[in-house]
Amino acid sequence: MTTTDMPRKADADSARAVSRKRPRGAVGGGLRRAVPPTTLLWVLAALYGLPVLWFVLSSFKPAGDLFSLPLTLFPEDPTVSGYKAAWDSANFSQYFINTTIVCVIATILTVGVSCCTGYALAKYDNKWLKVFFVGILATTMLPGEVMLAPQFLVVRDLGLYNSLAGIILPAVLTATGCFMFRQFFLTVPDELIEAARIDGARELSIFLRIMVPISRPIMLTLAILSFQWRWNDYIWPLLMLNDPEKFTVQIGIQSLVGAQNINWSVVLGGSVISMIPLIVVFLVFQRYVMNANINAGLKD
Amino acid sequence: MTKRAPDVSASPPRRRSKYTLAPLVLIAANAVLFALFFLWPAVIGLVYSFTNYTGVGAFQFVGLDNYQHLFGDSTFFDALSRTLLYTVLFVPLNFVFSLLVANVLVSKHAKGVSVARVFFFIPWLLSPIVVGVLWRWLFGENFGLVNYLIEKVGGSAVPWQSNADLSLIVVVVAASWAWTGFSMLLFIAAIKNVPTSYYEAAALDGAGPWRQFFSITLPSIAPTSFIVILLNTIHGMKEYPLFASLNNGGPGTSNNLLVQYIYQTGFKAGQIGYASAASFVLMLILMAVAIIQLMVNRRVENR
């Protein structure tokens, strides 16, 4: 740990100077090589981490201290009053519940539907499947933002306006999800399916009993992504929802900063609360997000 | 794209078209969703763009009127040019920073990579709304940390919110900051795929780190670079929530972007037909971007 801690604190030049003075041993050479990239790495990490740190620390300051000069990094007497005010004000707890419902249901449906579609696209060879594949491809060319108005009208005409279902259902169709599963199932040998067929298994039970279980890593990756997309969604819920009882967290926060006089204490508390679920999900499933075949899917 | 091709051709010749029911059942749910939420809106969107539909009641076909008005509408052009400017600034900044971060993260000599990685990743997790709030907090004119620090070192407060160009730049920086985690992931995967023997050979020939980066890494990851640029360009053209929470398109309406324009004309002013026409202009731009990128990509790969 000492080798990792030292360069982080030391200034690049001075550290390099120190290592130059050392006898040219293996340790000195390794350290000298480690210093510039490590310094650069942590300077960059600080650049990316500090805004969040400042934001989160500020949220623990009492409302009166937020703008008192000189600004201090750490709150002098930490309080959660901003959080409490955010949670109580403007139905924030209701927004939180609504968003959770949307995320969980949409994620389950997205994973299920994408898994079925991806498998069909990878392992069956019908002409109309190819047509459907091109159709799915087209959805990536014509993003939702382009079709805001007509999509809104369709969902309204289906009677889904001002309902959470109106947010969930259109979100279930994702090209990324289908492609991730298609990519995965392409790597599964056809012999596995042929063997099961010879043993007399029926098509759908091959899928449910063999293919669904082995695709678990992809399911988890897509679930994390889908949860993030729905949690962070803004414009579509904004269009769909009219009743403040049904608002999602993001709309709630935006309505707080959209106000004439921003109550920063409430905004900071609410924003930090809204970050927590995703950060927890990410920290728990970090290795899946970082290492899974995320690239194959995301490129599409 | 090149990587997928071998997978497909490697599978044995298919003689499986005798199965019809199973794949039909498997795609049924998605096919219904596709028809309802993509095909239908796409078709009526195109139809509405030739009408004066307001969202309720009857409507008339007005031919190309909407499109003609659009080209005479200075608000539309302001939104369009602001969107293009935003994209042109955001894409290179994000590219440089995420490539830099990715390179440092794959460096064999850097210490603490697995912890540092989290710092780059967290901004990508945050919603655009929260990112906007966060940067609005940092760049507040009278209270923000950035102006405080500037005054601390003897400068005078910068009008981050009331100057339209500075206001745009804050959003560009915020967007690059937030999207580094995503682009970085793609770059890391690409850099790790470059055969180490290339670097070993280059090192034997006496190439330093810079030379190795420009002569080996950069050309080897060209396909990924194009994908990153493509995805970020498309993302930039559609940006709206970040502006909504950071400066609300302000000061005034000077930073209203295209999606906000569509939202306002379509939903606030009830001109669905007109907004649909604006949407199709956005779509044409996005498709043009995608086609140009594909062509360039193909040329690079064939070389």
Side-chain angles (χ1 to χ4, degrees):
Chain A
M1 270 323 272
T2 46
T3 47
T4 54
D5 282 342
M6 209 191 76
R8 205 185 301 173
K9 286 172 194 148
D11 160 19
D13 291 334
S14 69
R16 203 177 293 148
V18 166
S19 61
R20 214 172 277 146
K21 273 178 214 157
R22 284 190 184 172
R24 241 181 273 152
V27 179
L31 188 64
R32 189 168 52 213
R33 247 192 253 164
V35 167
T38 308
T39 314
L40 183 60
L41 174 70
W42 283 97
V43 166
L44 284 169
L47 218 57
Y48 280 85
L50 278 179
V52 179
L53 187 70
W54 169 252
F55 191 71
V56 172
L57 285 175
S58 299
S59 71
F60 287 105
K61 291 177 181 168
D65 281 9
L66 276 177
F67 307 107
S68 66
L69 297 171
L71 292 177
T72 49
L73 182 60
F74 291 98
E76 270 163 31
D77 48 335
T79 166
V80 290
S81 62
Y83 290 86
K84 228 182 119 13
W87 191 255
D88 295 338
S89 81
N91 278 332
F92 207 83
S93 47
Q94 184 65 43
Y95 302 163
F96 211 82
I97 295 168
N98 294 340
T99 316
T100 309
I101 294 171
V102 169
C103 286
V104 170
I105 299 180
T107 298
I108 293 170
L109 291 177
T110 303
V111 171
V113 166
S114 302
C115 184
C116 295
T117 309
Y119 177 70
L121 292 178
K123 292 298 179 199
Y124 292 96
D125 191 32
N126 298 59
K127 261 207 185 96
W128 44 268
L129 269 178
K130 282 181 189 139
V131 174
F132 187 60
F133 185 59
V134 174
I136 296 269
L137 259 172
T139 65
T140 63
M141 301 286 278
L142 203 59
E145 284 81 354
V146 170
M147 297 200 298
L148 282 179
Q151 220 167 24
F152 172 83
L153 296 173
V154 166
V155 176
R156 185 195 66 183
D157 292 346
L158 290 171
L160 297 172
Y161 178 67
N162 203 17
S163 73
L164 295 183
I167 305 177
I168 294 169
L169 287 177
V172 171
L173 170 79
T174 81
T176 304
C178 298
F179 291 147
M180 278 169 69
F181 277 104
R182 179 177 172 271
Q183 285 302 96
F184 171 77
F185 285 121
L186 281 175
T187 66
V188 175
D190 287 348
E191 286 74 21
L192 200 61
I193 302 169
E194 295 298 340
R197 277 178 186 147
I198 290 163
D199 288 347
R202 304 183 58 179
E203 289 303 301
L204 291 182
S205 70
I206 296 176
F207 171 68
L208 290 173
R209 294 236 191 108
I210 306 175
M211 295 300 157
V212 170
I214 60 172
S215 66
R216 219 177 288 155
I218 308 295
M219 288 185 164
L220 203 58
T221 314
L222 180 62
I224 296 164
L225 286 175
S226 163
F227 192 86
Q228 190 204 354
W229 295 333
R230 300 290 79 85
W231 190 270
N232 290 342
D233 232 1
Y234 170 69
I235 192 157
W236 187 247
L238 176 73
L239 288 179
M240 264 300 114
L241 301 171
N242 182 30
D243 176 5
E245 283 288 305
K246 291 180 179 147
F247 277 2
T248 60
V249 171
Q250 307 300 338
I251 301 180
I253 296 171
Q254 169 56 19
S255 65
L256 290 176
V257 285
Q260 282 301 321
N261 277 314
I262 301 173
N263 183 343
W264 275 105
S265 181
V266 174
V267 171
L268 290 171
S271 304
V272 175
I273 294 174
S274 83
M275 300 175 181
I276 294 170
L278 283 183
I279 301 218
V280 169
V281 166
F282 168 72
L283 289 178
V284 172
F285 297 107
Q286 216 207 114
R287 60 200 180 94
Y288 289 96
V289 183
M290 296 292 192
N291 301 330
N293 298 328
I294 191 171
N295 290 312
L298 285 176
K299 276 179 198 167
D300 295 305
Chain B
M1 240 162 240
T2 41
K3 260 175 233 155
R4 191 174 308 142
D7 290 342
V8 178
S9 56
S11 59
R14 299 181 177 189
R15 281 169 281 108
R16 273 178 265 126
S17 43
K18 55 180 173 171
Y19 299 101
T20 310
L21 189 63
L24 196 62
V25 170
L26 287 169
I27 68 160
N30 227 341
V32 171
L33 292 171
F34 175 79
L36 280 182
F37 300 120
F38 183 78
L39 213 53
W40 186 7
V43 170
I44 67 170
L46 187 61
V47 171
Y48 284 147
S49 74
F50 300 109
T51 69
N52 60 2
Y53 190 48
T54 58
V56 283
F59 57 84
Q60 288 176 323
F61 280 89
V62 293
L64 289 170
D65 268 16
N66 286 329
Y67 292 92
Q68 269 166 6
H69 279 166
L70 216 48
F71 285 103
D73 183 349
S74 64
T75 323
F76 171 75
F77 270 105
D78 289 346
L80 179 62
S81 61
R82 220 56 190 166
T83 310
L84 292 174
L85 179 63
Y86 166 75
T87 309
V88 165
L89 293 172
F90 157 70
V91 172
L93 193 66
N94 180 271
F95 184 89
V96 169
F97 268 88
S98 46
L99 188 56
L100 178 67
V101 168
N103 267 297
V104 178
L105 281 177
V106 297
S107 155
K108 267 176 293 188
H109 306 296
K111 304 284 183 198
V113 166
S114 55
V115 180
R117 203 166 52 171
V118 176
F119 286 75
F120 303 112
F121 216 77
I122 282 179
W124 183 53
L125 292 178
L126 306 184
S127 75
I129 295 292
V130 171
V131 171
V133 171
L134 198 156
W135 286 78
R136 191 183 194 143
W137 173 240
L138 281 175
F139 281 84
E141 282 186 16
N142 303 315
F143 56 81
L145 178 68
V146 175
N147 268 358
Y148 174 73
L149 293 176
I150 288 174
E151 284 177 355
K152 199 87 191 194
V153 297
S156 54
V158 180
W160 297 114
Q161 300 280 337
S162 48
N163 177 311
D165 294 330
L166 286 174
S167 186
L168 184 72
I169 285 170
V170 173
V171 186
V172 168
V173 174
S176 311
W177 175 83
W179 272 72
T180 297
F182 173 79
S183 312
M184 161 198 108
L185 267 191
L186 300 183
F187 277 132
I188 288 177
I191 293 170
K192 280 187 176 166
N193 278 336
V194 181
T196 44
S197 56
Y198 290 7
Y199 293 107
E200 283 158 10
L204 281 180
D205 290 342
W210 285 107
R211 188 68 209 271
Q212 288 184 21
F213 175 76
F214 283 106
S215 302
I216 299 174
T217 311
L218 213 50
S220 307
I221 63 168
T224 303
S225 298
F226 280 114
I227 285 157
V228 168
I229 292 171
L230 173 70
L231 288 176
N232 279 331
T233 308
I234 291 173
H235 176 77
M237 291 297 297
K238 304 186 307 187
E239 190 60 85
Y240 168 59
L242 193 58
F243 279 86
S245 65
L246 217 164
N247 55 29
N248 234 330
T253 54
S254 52
N255 281 320
N256 276 356
L257 296 210
L258 220 45
V259 171
Q260 192 173 7
Y261 178 85
I262 292 167
Y263 170 66
Q264 273 167 352
T265 52
F267 297 92
K268 295 269 154 137
Q271 295 171 293
I272 296 272
Y274 193 61
S276 300
S279 300
F280 274 92
V281 174
L282 173 60
M283 185 201 79
L284 289 179
I285 296 171
L286 292 179
M287 284 177 76
V289 171
I291 290 167
I292 291 168
Q293 296 277 347
L294 281 176
M295 277 162 48
V296 175
N297 208 359
R298 192 160 294 163
R299 187 168 298 169
V300 168
E301 274 170 14
N302 287 343
R303 201 163 53 188

